[in-house]
Amino acid sequence: MQSNKNKIVLHVGFLLMFFCGYYAVSQNREYVVTKNNDTIYGKLMRTSSIINPSKIGYVIKDINGKKHDLHPKDVKLLRSLKGVDGDCVILPYNDDFFIKEIISGRICVYQHIDNVIYLVSKDGGKITYIDSGLFWSPKKVHAQIRALIMHNSEILKIFDSMKGSEKNVFYIINKYNAVYE
C-alpha cells in the first residue's frame, strides 16, 4: 500500500514539474495574439516595405517554421523579448500601424513604431496622441499630461515647476505610476 502512495506522489510530482516547466518556457517565448484570440508562439521579426521602407511591420516564424505576416488590423498584441524592439508589448493602433509600450502602469506611454510620435492611455482607456515628436510643443504636452495627473496635487506641483521636455514628461509619468503601483 505504501508503495502505491509513493508511486502516485512521484507521478504527481513529475506532472507538476512538467506543467511548471512548460509554463516557465511559454512565458519566455515571443508570441502574437490575433483578433480571433489565437496565440502564435515563435520568433518575432520586423519587416519593412520595399515600396515604403519607413513603414515597419512584423512577421512571426512559428514553432513549426511557418512565417505569418502580421497586420495591425489582424492582431491584438505582439510580445517581443529580443531583437530590435527588446522586451516589450506592441499593440495595433487604429488598425493602421503598431505602437510599442515604453512606459507601463496606470498611465501607459507608447511610441509609434515608424517614427517618434508618442501616445498615452490612462487606466486602460482610450489611447491618444501627445503633441510631441518632431514638432514638440511643451505647452500642449504639459497641458495634456497635467490633465492626466491633476488629482495628485503633490506630483502636479512638481510637474508644474518643470520645463516641458520629453525627459521631464517621462520622469513625472514614472513617478506618478510608482505612487499607484
Side-chain angles (χ1 to χ4, degrees):
M1 183 80 168
Q2 186 67 22
S3 173
N4 284 342
K5 279 187 178 180
N6 288 344
K7 285 180 183 177
I8 291 171
V9 169
L10 188 61
H11 287 292
V12 169
F14 280 128
L15 283 173
L16 284 172
M17 284 176 34
F18 172 77
F19 285 117
C20 289
Y22 176 78
Y23 180 76
V25 168
S26 68
Q27 295 301 308
N28 292 322
R29 293 193 340 216
E30 296 180 315
Y31 61 89
V32 173
V33 178
T34 68
K35 292 258 171 113
N36 295 330
N37 288 324
D38 294 325
T39 303
I40 305 169
Y41 290 95
K43 172 138 178 64
L44 192 62
M45 299 168 282
R46 271 190 177 194
T47 62
S48 61
S49 167
I50 294 172
I51 297 167
N52 183 1
S54 67
K55 181 83 172 148
I56 296 171
Y58 290 91
V59 169
I60 191 162
K61 186 175 181 181
D62 69 21
I63 55 177
N64 298 319
K66 183 179 177 190
K67 288 186 178 180
H68 304 264
D69 288 329
L70 304 172
H71 303 283
K73 67 181 185 327
D74 301 326
V75 300
K76 285 185 179 179
L77 80 97
L78 293 77
R79 180 66 171 98
S80 173
L81 295 174
K82 299 177 183 166
V84 176
D85 296 299
D87 187 356
C88 68
V89 171
I90 300 164
L91 303 170
Y93 183 72
N94 286 344
D95 290 342
D96 292 326
F97 54 85
F98 290 104
I99 57 176
K100 172 180 166 178
E101 185 178 72
I102 59 172
I103 297 176
S104 62
R106 188 160 178 203
I107 297 176
C108 293
V109 178
Y110 307 92
Q111 182 180 355
H112 191 295
I113 292 293
D114 296 339
N115 52 45
V116 187
I117 295 174
Y118 297 104
L119 303 97
V120 292
S121 163
K122 184 172 180 187
D123 296 327
K126 183 179 177 187
I127 298 173
T128 58
Y129 280 100
I130 298 177
D131 287 319
S132 63
L134 183 60
F135 304 105
W136 183 268
S137 171
K139 287 182 182 180
K140 284 184 181 179
V141 173
H142 193 87
Q144 286 177 299
I145 301 305
R146 193 174 200 286
L148 296 174
I149 64 171
M150 66 188 309
H151 67 278
N152 186 313
S153 59
E154 184 179 313
I155 291 177
L156 187 61
K157 184 177 178 181
I158 295 167
F159 186 57
D160 284 343
S161 71
M162 301 172 124
K163 293 187 179 197
S165 71
E166 179 181 312
K167 178 183 169 187
N168 288 344
V169 167
F170 292 168
Y171 167 80
I172 212 69
I173 289 172
N174 280 316
K175 186 170 187 65
Y176 178 89
N177 285 340
V179 169
Y180 295 99
E181 284 185 329

